[in-house]
Amino acid sequence: MDNNSPPYHKEGSPLPTTISKTEKQRSRSSSRSSVPSIFFAFFSCLAWLYIAGRLWQDAENRKVLSRLLMKNSAERPKVLTVEEKLMVLGCKDLERRIVESEMEISLAKSQGFLKDQLKQPGFSSSKKLLAVIGVYTGFGSRLNRKVFRGSWMPTGDSLKKLEERGIVIRFVIGRSPNRGDSLDRNIDEENRTTKDFLILDKHEEADEESSKKAKFFFSTAVQNWDAEFYIKVDNNIGLDLEGLIELLESHHGQDSVYIGCMKSGEVVSEEGKPWYEPDWWKFGDEKSYFRHASGSLLIISKRFAQYININSASLKTYAHEDTSIGSWMMGIQATYIDENRVCCSGSQQDKVCSLA
């Protein structure tokens, strides 16, 4: 066999495989590069699991912190923002304006500017008067009224002339508990003839309601007449009109006076006795009334009549009207004038009233 001839194998024997040097290098390079890839993928999975765990943990922490903050905010006083503070200030300003408006309405009411303050027929307030005199009367006092009209109280044209001098006199009476009955009809009929009544439509006439009657009298009088003084007189008192006018003129220009026969005395605490006072315990251990004008005849200035009119709903009344009025005067800047000439049961020669 020629040494230069190509090698050959016998039939059926396997053919040897030859791998080039380049292919071996590629195989070793591929196996080396797959190892870092596996490690990178492994660490990527760990990193992802770590990040996911942190995110979940942060979410749980946020929930816990949120619950704690809500609990603390409920326990701590709220810190107002600037807008909320402005809103609060705006509400306070609105409240102040409402209070001022209510005061203005009350003042308008006292001056007769509201629509529901209708004047009764025959009344005139266009002229400034010296005084309005209210003589208390009742349903059973017709004879007494007749005696007054025949003595010191003018009637008809004389009554009108007295009003031209600045003095208005009216019998003061409320309405019957049974509205529209014969008692009311008789008063209405008498008034149509004499025109000398001030009928308190909102007041129920009764002896035990005399304190409330004082409220209604002063309120109604100041709404219907513009006078310097308002005078309450009992139904058993006769007046010296000229002497009373002289007394009033001596106090002309004094707008804060409370004039009367001043007195005080024991508060009767035993029920059933005359002059019993249900609120006796409010007058202290000594059980003595404060200084006040006798109810037979008392005089107040216009501003005090307006005060009673504006605050009538909240003014406390006691068992007797003279102590009730005295308690109202104690709460304001009133000038007390103890005037002996209006002590109707006294013996003074120049007194302006007397028991009829």
Side-chain angles (χ1 to χ4, degrees), residues 204-224:
E204 185 176 296
E205 187 68 29
D207 290 340
E208 62 272 16
E209 300 292 337
S210 61
S211 297
K212 294 180 180 178
K213 187 174 183 177
K215 282 187 185 182
F216 283 104
F217 163 59
F218 287 118
S219 296
T220 306
V222 78
Q223 289 173 23
N224 288 283

Side-chain angles (χ1 to χ4, degrees), residues 53-274:
R54 288 298 303 269
L55 291 174
W56 177 84
Q57 186 64 39
D58 288 345
E60 290 298 314
N61 291 338
R62 282 196 295 270
K63 289 181 180 179
V64 173
L65 289 173
S66 178
R67 286 194 293 268
L68 290 175
L69 286 173
M70 290 178 65
K71 183 178 179 181
N72 290 337
S73 63
E75 295 176 353
R76 292 184 305 175
K78 183 180 179 182
V79 179
L80 299 178
T81 63
V82 175
E83 291 77 9
E84 290 172 329
K85 290 180 179 179
L86 290 174
M87 186 180 297
V88 171
L89 292 174
C91 291
K92 290 183 177 180
D93 183 63
L94 180 60
E95 182 181 5
R96 178 183 59 79
R97 292 181 183 179
I98 291 173
V99 173
E100 291 176 352
S101 298
E102 289 176 346
M103 293 176 64
E104 291 175 358
I105 290 173
S106 298
L107 179 60
K109 177 182 175 182
S110 71
Q111 296 175 350
F113 292 143
L114 300 186
K115 292 182 179 179
D116 62 342
Q117 305 300 311
L118 299 177
K119 295 177 170 51
Q120 297 187 23
F123 292 169
S124 173
S125 61
S126 58
K127 180 182 177 181
K128 180 73 173 183
L129 303 172
L130 178 62
V132 175
I133 303 173
V135 181
Y136 278 22
T137 190
F139 294 115
S141 301
R142 184 162 189 166
L143 180 60
N144 205 26
R145 293 193 294 272
K146 187 175 181 180
V147 170
F148 284 175
R149 292 188 186 107
S151 56
W152 63 267
M153 183 172 176
T155 59
D157 292 338
S158 297
L159 188 63
K160 292 180 180 179
K161 289 181 179 179
L162 185 64
E163 293 179 7
E164 292 175 359
R165 292 180 58 189
I167 302 294
V168 170
I169 304 178
R170 293 291 186 272
F171 288 112
V172 182
I173 193 170
R175 285 298 187 181
S176 168
N178 302 312
R179 292 296 179 100
D181 63 4
S182 60
L183 296 176
D184 281 345
R185 292 196 298 272
N186 290 339
I187 292 297
D188 290 336
E189 182 180 355
E190 184 178 349
N191 188 39
R192 282 193 291 270
T193 302
T194 60
K195 295 181 176 58
D196 57 4
F197 277 89
L198 173 59
I199 300 174
L200 308 175
D201 286 319
K202 296 181 180 180
H203 174 67
E204 185 176 296
E205 187 68 29
D207 290 340
E208 62 272 16
E209 300 292 337
S210 61
S211 297
K212 294 180 180 178
K213 187 174 183 177
K215 282 187 185 182
F216 283 104
F217 163 59
F218 287 118
S219 296
T220 306
V222 78
Q223 289 173 23
N224 288 283
W225 292 287
D226 180 16
E228 191 170 357
F229 302 105
Y230 295 83
I231 306 172
K232 177 262 169 181
V233 180
D234 270 346
N235 63 351
N236 62 340
I237 299 299
L239 295 179
D240 174 8
L241 279 180
E242 294 301 324
L244 180 58
I245 292 172
E246 179 185 348
L247 174 65
L248 295 173
E249 289 176 341
S250 68
H251 294 286
H252 175 69
Q254 301 177 14
D255 61 353
S256 302
V257 294
Y258 171 42
I259 306 173
C261 183
M262 297 296 171
K263 64 174 186 175
S264 61
E266 181 185 0
V267 179
V268 179
S269 58
E270 297 181 30
E271 189 172 359
K273 285 191 173 183

Side-chain angles (χ1 to χ4, degrees), residues 239-351:
L239 295 179
D240 174 8
L241 279 180
E242 294 301 324
L244 180 58
I245 292 172
E246 179 185 348
L247 174 65
L248 295 173
E249 289 176 341
S250 68
H251 294 286
H252 175 69
Q254 301 177 14
D255 61 353
S256 302
V257 294
Y258 171 42
I259 306 173
C261 183
M262 297 296 171
K263 64 174 186 175
S264 61
E266 181 185 0
V267 179
V268 179
S269 58
E270 297 181 30
E271 189 172 359
K273 285 191 173 183
W275 311 108
Y276 167 66
E277 174 58 70
D279 288 323
W280 57 268
W281 58 275
K282 293 182 178 180
F283 294 90
D285 296 335
E286 298 298 327
K287 296 180 183 178
S288 178
Y289 281 117
F290 40 76
R291 186 73 60 184
H292 61 278
S294 169
S296 298
L297 189 157
L298 60 86
I299 306 166
I300 62 173
S301 298
K302 176 184 176 179
R303 61 180 300 187
F304 296 152
Q306 289 177 325
Y307 171 80
I308 294 171
N309 176 41
I310 294 171
N311 300 283
S312 60
S314 57
L315 289 176
K316 165 69 178 175
T317 56
Y318 293 97
H320 314 297
E321 63 178 346
D322 54 355
T323 53
S324 296
I325 297 172
S327 70
W328 306 338
M329 295 299 107
M330 287 182 66
I332 52 182
Q333 295 292 333
T335 301
Y336 283 57
I337 298 179
D338 186 8
E339 178 56 72
N340 291 329
R341 296 179 64 186
V342 298
C343 294
C344 305
S345 59
S347 58
Q348 190 164 329
Q349 295 295 324
D350 59 348
K351 63 182 180 180

